[in-house]
Amino acid sequence: MMYAAGKKQEIQKNRPIRKKWWLWMLTAIAVLSLVGIIFSSNPEPLELTDLSGGSKKNVIAKLGKPDEPWVIRDDEDDYYYMYPFGVTLLGNDEFVSEISLTYGEEGVQSNKVYSILGLTLGANFNDYIAQNPGVFQAPNLDLISQEGQRSRMYHDKQEDTILNLLTESDSIIGVRYVHYANSDESYTLDLANYIGNSVTEQQLMNELGITSTISGDAENTYYFGQTSMANWIKSDTKNDKIQEIMITDGRFFNIGGQRIGDSVEQATAALSNLISTTEEAGGVKVDTFELTVPNTLNDSIVAVRSFKGNIVSIQATSRSTYADSLLPLVEEEPPLVKETPPNTPTDTWPSLSLEQQIEFNQYFSEFSSVNFGTSPYIKDTAISSYSTDELIRFAIERNQKFGQDNSYSFNQENDSEMIMHQDLVAEVIDYFFGIQINHKSISGYTYKDEFYGWDAYRWAYMDSNLFSQVQRLLDNQDGTLTAEVGVFQDLNDYGYFASEDPDYLQAKSIRYQPQAAGSEASHFSYIGTVKAIIKKSETNDWIIIDYKVESMY
C-alpha cells in the first residue's frame, strides 16, 4: 500500500498516453481487490460528485477520515485519501480535485452505495444509457485495452471536468471524475509527449482514436478528435517517429499544458522559453517557444497562434524537423510577368443585401465546418483535381452536420455501425461541385450494398464550431466569382442542443451575420483563410470549381 503511495508521488507528469492511461486503475488495483462486497442499507446511492469542488472539512463530515494506513498524504498543501470501500479523493483544504470509485478491499463492508454522476459499480452501462437517453453523447476518447477493458473519457467544457468510465463486458468496474487542470488525465493528454518517439499506426489508433489516415512517400498524417481533420499528427515513414503535431479544435487535448481557447499570456508564462513573436495576416500573432519534455527523444519547437489574446492553434515540431524547414530554398527563375487582363475583377460584396451576404456565409460555412480542403496532400486546388475520396468525405461529413435527421441511421443488422445511403452522398457532390462519382470505400468509411458505414462510437457530430465569413466577393467578368473567405471558430460552448432548440438556433445564426453586425463577434476567433471560385450550374445553383485553403491555424 505504501509502495503505491510512493509511486503516486513519483509520477512523471509528461509521458505518453500508452504509458499512463491505466495509471489510476493500476494504482487502485495495487491496494484494492477487484472483487468487493457492498451491503447497502440505504437504497439511494451517495453521489460523490457532490463533494467535487468542496472543502476537505466537507469530505470528512460526509465520509469520515480514513484510518491512518489509508491516508496516503495529508499536509498543508494537499491530501490523498483512500477508503477501503473503494473511494479515493485528492484535493486540498478548499477544493476536491479528483474522485475515483472502484471495488473495495475484499471483505470490507459498507452501509452505503456510492455513485459518480449516477453511475454505480456493477451496473450495466448500456442499461444506464437506455434508461437515461441523451445524458452521454459520444466520448472524447473511446479506447479498449489488450485485456478487453473499455475506457470512455468524456470532457465537460463548461465545468472543465473529465469523466473516465471503465467497463468490462459493459459492466461498470471503475469511475473517475476529475477537474482537468493538473490531473493525471491532463498530463496523459499532453501530445508533446509523442514528439521524437516511434509510434505505430496501431498504437495511435489505440491511444488517440484516429479517424482517418493519409499515407505519403515521406510521411504519414493521422487525423483525430471530434471534428474531422482539425487535429493531426505526422510521422516519417522510415521509422514511425512523430515529427509534428497540430491541434486546432476543442479543449480536450493539449500541447505543453496549453489548450485551444487559453489566453496567450497563460501560454507565455507556462512555456516561458520564447524564441520569437511575429504578426500574420488578419491580426493573428505567432509566439514560438522551445519546449523540453523529459521523456521524449527530441526537444520540440511550439508555435502558438492567437487572435485577440486567445489561442486558436498550437503546433509542436521536433527540433530537427523544424531546423530542416529553415534551410534556404533553391533559387528559382523569377516567374514571367503576365499582362493584366483588361477586365479587372470588382468587389461585389458591399453591394449585396444583408440576406444575400448571410446566404453566402452559410454556403461557405458548409465547407469550413468539415475542414474541406485542409489535407496537406492537396496541391492542385481545382475541384476536378480533388480525389474522389475527398469529395465523398465532404459529402458524408456535411450530411452529418447539416443534413436532415434521417440522413444517417443505425445499421439494423449491426447496431455498432452507422450508415448513410449512397444517393445522399451523390446528391451533395453533384449539388456543390457538379460532379458525378463512382462510389467506393475510403479511409474511415466503408462502402457496401449502396451504403456508407462507420463505427457508431464515432457517432456523428451535429454541429461544428467552425464557420465562414466572406470578406470579398470578386466578379471575374467571365461568369465566375472569387470569394476571399475568413474561417472563424466560435469559442462559445453552447453545450448540446437539439436542432430545433430556439436558443441554439439563435446562437448559431449569429455566426452567419456579417461580422460587424454580429453581437457576439468578440467570441469569434479567426483561424484561417480560403479562396474559392464559384460559378452557376445548369440548375442556377452556385458550384465550387476551385477551393484553396491558403492558411489554417
Side-chain angles (χ1 to χ4, degrees):
M1 177 185 64
M2 296 309 295
Y3 172 76
K7 295 295 287 184
K8 176 70 180 181
Q9 292 172 323
E10 296 172 6
I11 289 172
Q12 292 292 327
K13 291 188 174 182
N14 291 311
R15 62 178 61 182
I17 293 175
R18 62 181 180 281
K19 292 184 179 179
K20 198 176 177 188
W21 185 254
W22 308 103
L23 173 63
W24 68 274
M25 285 304 300
L26 292 176
T27 302
I29 291 171
V31 295
L32 302 174
S33 168
L34 286 178
V35 180
I37 303 175
I38 299 178
F39 294 97
S40 175
S41 58
N42 183 353
E44 290 296 326
L46 178 62
E47 179 56 50
L48 294 173
T49 53
D50 292 342
L51 302 174
S52 179
S55 66
K56 181 169 70 173
K57 184 176 181 181
N58 184 43
V59 168
I60 295 175
K62 290 194 174 183
L63 297 181
K65 185 173 182 179
D67 295 334
E68 189 61 32
W70 297 92
V71 177
I72 308 305
R73 185 171 63 253
D74 192 359
D75 52 42
E76 60 182 9
D77 294 324
D78 53 19
Y79 65 91
Y80 178 15
Y81 290 169
M82 298 183 71
Y83 294 85
F85 44 81
V87 174
T88 301
L89 296 170
L90 279 78
N92 55 37
D93 282 347
E94 302 300 328
F95 188 81
V96 178
S97 58
E98 303 185 9
I99 304 172
S100 298
L101 177 61
T102 61
Y103 283 109
E105 186 179 22
E106 185 174 2
V108 172
Q109 299 182 9
S110 174
N111 61 353
K112 295 283 188 182
V113 175
Y114 300 93
S115 66
I116 292 180
L117 296 178
L119 300 164
T120 57
L121 297 179
N124 185 282
F125 182 67
N126 289 335
D127 292 343
Y128 179 91
I129 293 297
Q131 296 167 8
N132 301 274
V135 173
F136 288 107
Q137 304 305 316
N140 296 79
L141 276 181
D142 190 352
L143 309 176
I144 300 178
S145 71
Q146 294 180 349
E147 295 76 22
Q149 293 178 341
R150 185 171 181 178
S151 177
R152 300 173 177 89
M153 189 177 284
Y154 303 85
H155 180 219
D156 185 325
K157 290 184 180 180
Q158 184 173 356
E159 299 293 334
D160 203 18
T161 55
I162 291 177
L163 173 69
N164 196 351
L165 178 64
L166 196 67
T167 60
E168 193 168 57
S169 299
D170 293 321
S171 177
I172 298 173
I173 61 174
V175 190
R176 182 167 158 82
Y177 182 80
V178 304
H179 290 265
Y180 191 106
N182 300 317
S183 65
D184 286 342
E185 282 74 5
S186 70
Y187 298 122
T188 62
L189 296 174
D190 184 349
L191 301 178
N193 294 309
Y194 283 100
I195 292 292
N197 289 325
S198 294
V199 186
T200 66
E201 181 175 359
Q202 187 59 50
Q203 286 176 306
L204 291 174
M205 179 65 73
N206 293 341
E207 296 169 17
L208 297 178
I210 300 300
T211 56
S212 61
T213 303
I214 297 179
S215 299
D217 294 334
E219 62 185 18
N220 298 320
T221 303
Y222 306 96
Y223 296 96
F224 61 94
Q226 290 194 334
T227 298
S228 172
M229 306 186 87
N231 308 316
W232 45 260
I233 189 167
K234 290 183 180 180
S235 68
D236 62 64
T237 57
K238 292 181 179 179
N239 53 24
D240 292 326
K241 280 190 176 181
I242 302 301
Q243 300 172 319
E244 195 170 76
I245 300 169
M246 171 76 86
I247 55 175
T248 65
D249 174 72
R251 292 181 55 76
F252 187 62
F253 295 104
N254 70 83
I255 291 179
Q258 309 311 300
R259 293 182 280 165
I260 304 304
D262 286 348
S263 69
V264 69
E265 289 81 3
Q266 174 183 325
T268 301
L271 299 176
S272 70
N273 196 1
L274 180 66
I275 299 174
S276 64
T277 297
T278 58
E279 298 286 341
E280 292 188 347
V284 174
K285 186 176 77 166
V286 184
D287 294 300
T288 304
F289 303 86
E290 289 182 310
L291 177 64
T292 300
V293 183
N295 64 318
T296 62
L297 301 179
N298 292 309
D299 293 341
S300 58
I301 303 299
V302 177
V304 176
R305 285 178 168 82
S306 60
F307 181 73
K308 294 184 178 180
N310 292 320
I311 296 174
V312 297
S313 77
I314 309 174
Q315 182 175 1
T317 308
S318 69
R319 181 181 291 277
S320 60
T321 302
Y322 181 80
D324 290 343
S325 70
L326 298 179
L327 293 176
L329 299 176
V330 177
E331 291 188 5
E332 299 179 353
E333 291 293 330
L336 296 176
V337 177
K338 297 181 179 180
E339 294 184 2
T340 303
N343 295 326
T344 304
T346 57
D347 186 10
T348 64
W349 185 249
S351 65
L352 298 182
S353 67
L354 176 61
E355 290 74 15
Q356 290 173 316
Q357 291 180 339
I358 290 174
E359 287 179 4
F360 273 113
N361 285 340
Q362 289 175 320
Y363 177 81
F364 287 107
S365 292
E366 302 215 24
F367 298 91
S368 60
S369 69
V370 296
N371 290 281
F372 180 68
T374 58
S375 169
Y377 296 100
I378 294 176
K379 304 302 181 185
D380 188 344
T381 57
I383 294 300
S384 59
S385 298
Y386 271 58
S387 68
T388 300
D389 292 33
E390 291 291 335
L391 301 183
I392 291 174
R393 185 179 308 282
F394 165 77
I396 294 174
E397 296 180 357
R398 179 268 176 193
N399 281 344
Q400 289 174 348
K401 292 178 172 64
F402 292 96
Q404 301 299 317
D405 292 340
N406 60 355
S407 62
Y408 56 90
S409 62
F410 280 102
N411 186 345
Q412 294 184 354
E413 299 178 357
N414 179 6
D415 60 6
S416 65
E417 182 181 48
M418 305 293 292
I419 57 175
M420 181 182 297
H421 196 269
Q422 65 175 16
D423 288 352
L424 295 174
V425 174
E427 180 182 343
V428 168
I429 295 174
D430 181 53
Y431 177 79
F432 284 99
F433 307 112
I435 292 176
Q436 286 73 47
I437 54 99
N438 293 321
H439 295 285
K440 54 178 285 192
S441 295
I442 64 173
S443 176
Y445 299 97
T446 303
Y447 177 70
K448 182 181 179 182
D449 298 332
E450 298 186 348
F451 283 90
Y452 287 90
W454 62 94
D455 290 336
Y457 81 87
R458 290 169 51 196
W459 199 240
Y461 302 99
M462 298 299 295
D463 186 26
S464 168
N465 61 354
L466 302 182
F467 62 96
S468 290
Q469 290 266 334
V470 177
Q471 296 170 341
R472 293 208 302 167
L473 192 64
L474 304 177
D475 185 346
N476 299 319
Q477 312 295 328
D478 61 358
T480 67
L481 300 177
T482 296
E484 296 177 359
V485 181
V487 180
F488 292 79
Q489 182 179 32
D490 190 341
L491 299 178
N492 277 316
D493 179 18
Y494 301 114
Y496 177 80
F497 290 91
S499 59
E500 68 276 4
D501 187 296
D503 293 332
Y504 168 69
L505 294 175
Q506 173 63 25
K508 185 175 179 180
S509 67
I510 295 174
R511 301 173 181 175
Y512 308 127
Q513 298 280 340
Q515 187 175 2
S519 60
E520 298 296 322
S522 61
H523 297 286
F524 295 164
S525 179
Y526 171 89
I527 65 169
T529 58
V530 167
K531 181 175 287 187
I533 301 176
I534 61 177
K535 71 174 184 178
K536 287 286 189 177
S537 68
E538 293 179 357
T539 57
N540 206 36
D541 296 311
W542 290 110
I543 61 173
I544 297 278
I545 60 174
D546 193 281
Y547 192 89
K548 180 181 180 182
V549 176
E550 296 189 313
S551 63
M552 192 62 67
Y553 309 122

